[in-house]
Amino acid sequence: MRLRHALAVMAAALLVPLTVQPAHAATGLHVSGTKILEAGGQEFVMRGTSHAHTWYPTRISSFQGIKSLGANTVRVVLSGGRWTKNDTADVTNVIGLCKASKLICVLENHDTTGYGEQSGAYTLDQAVDYWISVKAALQGQEDYVVLNIGNEPVGNNAVTPAWTEATSDAIKRLRTAGFEHLLMADAPAWGQDWKNEMRDNAATVMAADPKRNTVFSVHMYGVYDTAAEIVSYLDAFEAAGLPLVIGEFGFNHSDGDPDEDTIMAEAQARGVGYLGWSWSGNGGGVEYLDQVTDFDPARLTSWGRRLFNGANGIAATAKQAAIYGAVVPDTEKPTRPGTPAASAVTGTTATLTWDPSTDNIGVTGYDVHNGTTKLVSSTGTSTTLTGLTPNTSYTVHVIARDAAGNLSDASATTTFKTTTSTTTCTSTYKLVNSWQGGFQGEVAVTCPSGTTGWKTTLTYPAGVTVTQTWNASLTGTYTFTNLSWNASGGTFGFLGTWTGSGTPPTPVISTSGS
């Protein structure tokens, strides 16, 4: 991951459309206009996430976990020496893991992150040195592998050579070295291109590629916190006829709050690829960007649920690459969820939790039923039921759903009973007047907003009788209830007689609401 800095609003200028045709026939994955195509001509739209392999090399189950939630692409973090170098054997193994999970493999060199601003960052020229050093692992993998030349290759400071020249030179060196892969070029300014350097010079960079086989990647974090900024940037590349992917984005960040809903909706509408950041293992204050907890696909975070299972999310929109063959229709239902446990039961609410279901592709949600009535749907393994009826028994079960609409067997049932709903009301007694053998009392009842009724009981010693009341209904000897027009509180009065002498006795008051 990286640190972010204060960012400016993008300018409105558009790119000049690129009309130059490919100089040579493409091998494997390749661009055509704004689209990415496979070798057979099928359109491929990236839908996936990033996995920090270079820091977590033993977490190899992550590849299958990412696939299980519906992704068709994984962006793999590698290092050529800024961190522990991922050598040829390791890169070969990573590609094998991608292929075994039927994922397109975007390999990115993270060494370049923040060059010119962050200490220790590598140049794009050094990134090319790394790719050449592991070329043996990459040759022949053009159907499966995209080379993301260098992650966020320039920070916010000016560098020499600048992004356009440095990226063009890197692409030329890779082509001279014999790489025919689809190349991915990250934007400068920590990937966010807030100065529009990539946007305004992408055509120049594409022209520098003898294969005309480069896709541009923008990272959308705090710069892209409004729909207008997102749409403007995507419009520019669309108008220029240049291919773009959203190579990283999140639902929140230290530099601002990106509009992930618009990012995902616009990407889906335009056929633009997107890759969320990131699977698991984030640190440095951005742990909230983890999509699963401890690399476990069964423990989706709120960000993970949004990215994989939400509107325009991965599960609903990703299509497996054609190179892996026809997708077999998913007819396997999820496993039976755990028995729901009820807690925090009140008169109108209850919290339910249950153990997760598993699925061959991925569970996308759960439905909670009371008998044949569906009460609520949830993307996680807990939910709070609302609007329940007080003093009522509920027998609930849970059914899991997957992306194909397959339903699990119902969980075992749990029965709980809501409490008798009461609302805390307060009341104050006042002696209005008294005379020999009689008195007038008054009670002010105050209840919280939403109260639909109240009841006040007075406790008197022997010898007191209530003979008349107003603004309330008298039940029994000393119990008063609201009328239709003062159900949320008010003041009622009464007359009483008593057999004692001196000041009439003060009652003990008890008031409840509903």
Side-chain angles (χ1 to χ4, degrees):
M1 206 46 194
R2 81 287 305 139
L3 299 173
R4 304 285 178 189
H5 301 269
L7 301 162
V9 178
M10 298 181 299
L14 296 177
L15 290 163
V16 176
L18 182 71
T19 58
V20 179
Q21 297 301 311
H24 304 283
T27 299
L29 291 160
H30 60 281
V31 299
S32 177
T34 62
K35 303 299 182 182
I36 296 174
L37 305 180
E38 296 189 59
Q42 304 91 341
E43 183 178 354
F44 180 73
V45 180
M46 295 183 189
R47 290 284 183 269
T49 186
S50 293
H51 169 53
H53 172 76
T54 196
W55 300 304
Y56 301 100
T58 64
R59 297 287 192 170
I60 59 175
S61 65
S62 296
F63 294 85
Q64 183 55 44
I66 290 167
K67 178 64 175 183
S68 75
L69 296 180
N72 63 21
T73 305
V74 59
R75 181 169 177 260
V76 185
V77 178
L78 300 177
S79 174
R82 185 175 176 182
W83 295 278
T84 301
K85 181 177 179 178
N86 301 104
D87 61 16
T88 301
D90 190 27
V91 174
T92 299
N93 185 54
V94 165
I95 295 171
L97 291 167
C98 289
K99 292 167 74 173
S101 295
K102 299 184 178 180
L103 293 166
I104 294 300
C105 208
V106 177
L107 302 179
E108 64 105 331
N109 186 331
H110 215 74
D111 296 339
T112 56
T113 306
Y115 176 71
E117 186 171 354
Q118 191 170 85
S119 176
Y122 284 23
T123 64
L124 278 172
D125 201 44
Q126 289 173 295
V128 173
D129 291 340
Y130 170 67
W131 293 122
I132 293 173
S133 77
V134 295
K135 182 181 177 184
L138 302 169
Q139 283 184 308
Q141 303 301 325
E142 293 85 357
D143 285 327
Y144 307 95
V145 172
V146 178
L147 291 188
N148 192 175
I149 307 170
N151 181 68
E152 301 178 358
V154 182
N156 289 326
N157 297 336
V159 295
T160 302
W163 177 87
T164 302
E165 183 182 352
T167 303
S168 298
D169 288 347
I171 292 171
K172 292 174 185 176
R173 280 193 63 202
L174 287 167
R175 296 305 185 204
T176 299
F179 288 89
E180 297 189 351
H181 303 72
L182 172 60
L183 303 179
M184 183 181 290
D186 271 15
W190 298 91
Q192 297 206 74
D193 201 29
W194 59 269
K195 299 176 184 178
N196 295 316
E197 189 173 358
M198 181 175 82
R199 192 198 69 178
D200 295 343
N201 294 282
T204 299
V205 173
M206 180 66 88
D209 181 0
K211 296 288 184 182
R212 307 296 191 267
N213 196 25
T214 297
V215 61
F216 299 92
S217 171
V218 64
H219 294 181
M220 289 190 166
Y221 291 102
V223 169
Y224 302 92
D225 57 356
T226 68
E229 291 163 326
I230 295 162
V231 169
S232 174
Y233 199 85
L234 297 177
D235 278 350
F237 274 82
E238 189 172 306
L242 291 168
L244 181 73
V245 297
I246 301 165
E248 283 186 25
F249 73 106
F251 76 106
N252 198 2
H253 205 267
S254 55
D255 68 358
D257 184 9
D259 182 357
E260 69 277 8
D261 292 339
T262 298
I263 290 170
M264 295 168 72
E266 287 291 327
Q268 176 60 18
R270 298 166 186 258
V272 170
Y274 67 66
L275 302 168
W277 182 278
S278 73
W279 183 241
S280 197
N282 284 285
V286 293
E287 291 81 359
Y288 53 81
L289 286 174
D290 281 3
Q291 293 153 9
V292 300
T293 300
D294 195 27
F295 299 88
D296 183 354
R299 300 167 66 191
L300 283 163
T301 64
S302 59
W303 168 221
R305 290 192 294 272
R306 175 68 189 93
L307 178 68
F308 285 97
N309 298 331
N312 301 299
I314 289 170
T317 66
K319 294 183 179 180
Q320 180 175 285
I323 191 65
Y324 292 117
V327 177
V328 178
D330 178 16
T331 59
E332 183 175 330
K333 64 185 179 183
T335 60
R336 191 183 194 195
T339 305
S343 62
V345 179
T346 70
T348 57
T349 65
T351 297
L352 299 178
T353 58
W354 57 90
D355 289 335
S357 172
T358 59
D359 186 65
N360 62 316
I361 302 299
V363 174
T364 58
Y366 299 88
D367 298 324
V368 178
H369 294 258
N370 177 45
T372 59
T373 302
K374 185 169 78 172
L375 298 178
V376 70
S377 294
S378 173
T379 56
T381 56
S382 66
T383 191
T384 297
L385 305 177
T386 60
L388 304 179
T389 303
N391 197 31
T392 301
S393 292
Y394 289 84
T395 300
V396 296
H397 64 269
V398 180
I399 296 174
R401 292 176 278 106
D402 67 12
N406 298 309
L407 301 179
S408 72
D409 293 332
S411 71
T413 60
T414 292
T415 299
F416 65 90
K417 186 176 183 179
T418 53
T419 61
T420 300
S421 183
T422 59
T423 302
T424 301
C425 296
T426 60
S427 54
T428 305
Y429 170 79
K430 175 183 178 182
L431 178 63
V432 178
N433 196 8
S434 65
W435 54 90
Q436 182 63 39
F439 67 98
Q440 179 184 342
E442 182 179 276
V443 177
V445 178
T446 303
C447 296
S449 175
T451 301
T452 58
W454 50 263
K455 177 173 66 177
T456 298
T457 300
L458 308 181
T459 301
Y460 278 110
V464 175
T465 301
V466 174
T467 60
Q468 184 181 346
T469 186
W470 54 92
N471 297 343
S473 173
L474 180 63
T475 304
T477 307
Y478 307 121
T479 298
F480 303 82
T481 58
N482 64 279
L483 301 178
S484 60
W485 50 269
N486 62 356
S488 60
T491 300
F492 69 90
F494 60 95
L495 297 178
T497 62
W498 63 295
T499 58
S501 60
T503 303
T506 299
V508 175
I509 306 177
S510 174
T511 299
S512 64
S514 61

